[in-house]
Amino acid sequence: MTSDSPHKPLPSHKALPGTMLQQPTEAPPLVTVSSSALCVMTDFRKVPVATIGPTATLNEATEAMIKRGVRLLLVVDEMDNVVGLITARDTQGERPIQLIHEHGGRYGDLQVRDLMAPVDAIDLLDMSRVMRAEVGDIVATLKDWGRQHALVGEIDPKSGANRIRGMFSATQIGRQLGLPVQTFDVARTFAEIQAALSREY
């Protein structure tokens, strides 16, 4: 900053022995099955989306998921165009073994593009519908799809381009509803959610 800047450094003081941390004074908003679906959507306007390139190895994809704490990566090219998606089930499940059995090679040689779902196979929920939906509608959608994730798409009002706006995660929904969701099993996860909701409502 220049000397004539209107912004000035703030005065400070030393922390005293016995200084404590401020604890939350407000409980986080309660999420229920009737809450707006937006309450449980990861909005890519606010949270950077986790991505990877198509030529990355499966090991690199797994490491990227662990680092970001996610189980899904969007696959993008050099121009940041979405070309597919890959999940932890793709990198660590049976599909890599089947691919090696059918075509030979080693696991270390497999790349994201070998196992990713191509962009034209990605199902997108329309943002305009999501804005009117409830959490229960998203739970029903994921159960119907038999998947852990659902992506949300919208059209850029300025450019008219299609883009992926956000994502729903079964694990996150369970966490926000206050249900213990340890591992992903669609039938069990949503059976637990529905059982808990039926007790409450």
Side-chain angles (χ1 to χ4, degrees), residues 94-109:
E94 297 179 1
R95 292 189 62 209
I97 298 172
Q98 293 174 343
L99 198 61
I100 292 171
H101 181 72
E102 293 172 4
H103 302 285
R106 299 177 305 162
Y107 179 87
D109 297 328

Side-chain angles (χ1 to χ4, degrees), residues 9-193:
L10 296 177
S12 63
H13 63 275
K14 301 297 184 185
L16 298 174
T19 296
M20 302 176 68
L21 289 174
Q22 171 65 52
Q23 299 301 321
T25 57
E26 297 180 10
L30 180 65
V31 173
T32 70
V33 68
S34 300
S35 298
S36 167
L38 296 177
C39 294
V40 295
M41 185 184 87
T42 299
D43 190 337
F44 294 153
R45 284 185 176 179
K46 302 175 182 177
V47 180
V49 59
T51 63
I52 198 162
T55 59
T57 66
L58 295 193
N59 282 328
E60 290 171 335
T62 299
E63 290 172 4
M65 291 183 203
I66 293 172
K67 184 176 180 181
R68 288 291 302 273
V70 298
R71 294 181 60 84
L72 178 148
L73 298 172
L74 287 173
V75 186
V76 296
D77 61 17
E78 298 84 355
M79 302 298 292
D80 275 344
N81 294 312
V82 177
V83 295
L85 68 79
I86 192 162
T87 70
R89 299 181 80 191
D90 297 324
T91 63
Q92 300 173 319
E94 297 179 1
R95 292 189 62 209
I97 298 172
Q98 293 174 343
L99 198 61
I100 292 171
H101 181 72
E102 293 172 4
H103 302 285
R106 299 177 305 162
Y107 179 87
D109 297 328
L110 292 176
Q111 297 182 336
V112 167
R113 61 185 175 189
D114 297 324
L115 287 161
M116 72 180 188
V119 65
D120 57 2
I122 298 175
D123 293 306
L124 295 177
L125 300 176
D126 190 87
M127 184 63 184
S128 62
R129 288 184 177 272
V130 167
M131 292 175 69
R132 301 191 301 271
E134 297 180 350
V135 172
D137 299 321
I138 304 303
V139 171
T141 301
L142 289 169
K143 182 179 179 183
D144 182 63
W145 288 5
R147 298 179 191 166
Q148 184 183 15
H149 301 95
L151 294 169
V152 180
E154 69 176 359
I155 297 177
D156 188 312
K158 294 182 179 179
S159 67
N162 293 300
R163 63 186 176 195
I164 296 178
R165 167 69 182 273
M167 180 178 71
F168 293 104
S169 160
T171 302
Q172 180 176 323
I173 292 173
R175 187 182 302 121
Q176 291 187 248
L177 286 172
L179 301 172
V181 180
Q182 302 299 328
T183 58
F184 175 59
D185 179 320
V186 171
R188 185 170 63 102
T189 298
F190 288 107
E192 289 174 354
I193 291 176

